[in-house]
């Protein structure tokens, strides 16, 4: 391991639900201080690229 920082385009968002509720996980993402583009990529754009999915920004999770 080189100690290189992970770039936003290299990470996928996930939670440890139900131990870590979605609202708390998303609040922690906000604390990262990501730009709007980096946040959008982290919260869905990277997953769409990796899994070759189409579509726009991820929809909010109801009841989450």
């Amino acid at each position: 391991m080189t100690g290189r920082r992970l770039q936003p385009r290299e990470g996928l968002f996930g939670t440890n639900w139900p131990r870590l509720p979605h609202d708390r996980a998303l609040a922690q993402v906000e604390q990262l201080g990501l730009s709007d583009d980096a946040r959008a990529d982290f919260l869905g754009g990277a997953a769409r690229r990796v899994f070759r999915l189409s579509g726009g920004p991820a929809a909010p999770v109801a009841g989450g």
Side-chain angles (χ1 to χ4, degrees), residues 4-60:
R4 182 179 68 86
R5 286 186 68 156
L6 183 68
Q7 299 301 308
R9 292 181 57 90
E10 298 174 326
L12 298 176
F13 174 75
T15 70
N16 189 18
W17 184 87
R19 296 179 70 95
L20 178 61
H22 294 104
D23 59 342
R24 191 166 142 211
L26 290 170
Q28 291 176 356
V29 169
E30 291 303 316
Q31 293 174 1
L32 295 174
L34 299 173
S35 68
D36 290 343
D37 289 339
R39 185 183 325 95
D41 206 45
F42 184 61
L43 294 177
R48 283 191 293 280
R49 279 194 311 279
V50 169
F51 298 111
R52 297 185 176 147
L53 304 172
S54 61

